[in-house]
Amino acid sequence: MTADEKDPERLAEAEAEAIRQDVEQAASDPAAQAEWIRQSNLSYGGLAAAGLVMIQPFLSETSLDLSATICVVAFAVSIPLLAALLVLNLQEEFRHRASGSRAVAVAKAVAQAAAFVGLTAGFWHISLIAGIVFLVMGCVAVGVHSSGYVHLEYDSTFRSRFRSRKPRT
């Protein structure tokens, strides 16, 4: 491979590293962390409340079908984790920074996934079509949120919002 062929690769690698550093710097911004904590509170509280409402009809049942059992077990996993994450968010707000713990990151993923499974199974229990529609629209909603977030946060002016701590070479 000639030096000319390697040069575009090096340029691309340098640009990718510069973007990674910019994103890392943005993620450490206290205002961004405060906003993530506020959004997490809304998400965790809403999912826990939805779970409590969704399992209400099953509390007095002596026998549950498969979809109802999945719903109840999924919320048995998610509700305690969501409650713990809500309490942790209060501490994060007090300290004005987000936790970087891997255990917390895993708990967030498990809690949100279990809540989604529980909601899907609950709708599935009510109606097969409702369960499928909820599952599909949940995936569409994640795409809509992701697209909007990327366009808001990582637009063409993203890199100009932050001053480099050290000069790039």
Side-chain angles (χ1 to χ4, degrees), residues 95-156:
R95 293 291 176 199
H96 303 290
R97 66 178 194 269
S99 170
S101 167
R102 287 184 189 214
V104 171
V106 169
K108 287 177 181 182
V110 169
Q112 291 174 7
F116 184 70
V117 167
L119 286 166
T120 303
F123 279 110
W124 199 288
H125 177 76
I126 296 165
S127 161
L128 175 66
I129 293 172
I132 292 170
V133 168
F134 181 81
L135 179 63
V136 169
M137 294 313 296
C139 293
V140 169
V142 168
V144 167
H145 176 267
S146 296
S147 175
Y149 181 86
V150 166
H151 279 85
L152 283 170
E153 296 298 328
Y154 303 106
D155 61 7
S156 61

Side-chain angles (χ1 to χ4, degrees), residues 10-88:
R10 287 184 185 156
L11 287 174
E13 287 176 9
E15 182 67 16
E17 177 61 21
I19 291 170
R20 188 196 63 75
Q21 289 175 357
D22 288 341
V23 170
E24 193 174 285
Q25 184 178 356
S28 65
D29 178 18
Q33 289 187 6
E35 180 58 23
W36 293 338
I37 292 167
R38 281 191 295 276
Q39 290 178 13
S40 294
N41 280 337
L42 177 64
S43 175
Y44 303 151
L47 289 172
L52 291 171
V53 168
M54 188 67 79
I55 65 167
Q56 288 294 314
F58 305 128
L59 292 176
S60 59
E61 294 295 320
T62 56
S63 178
L64 300 175
D65 67 6
L66 180 61
S67 60
T69 301
I70 292 170
C71 176
V72 171
V73 171
F75 282 119
V77 169
S78 71
I79 291 172
L81 288 173
L82 292 167
L85 291 168
L86 279 167
V87 173
L88 174 63

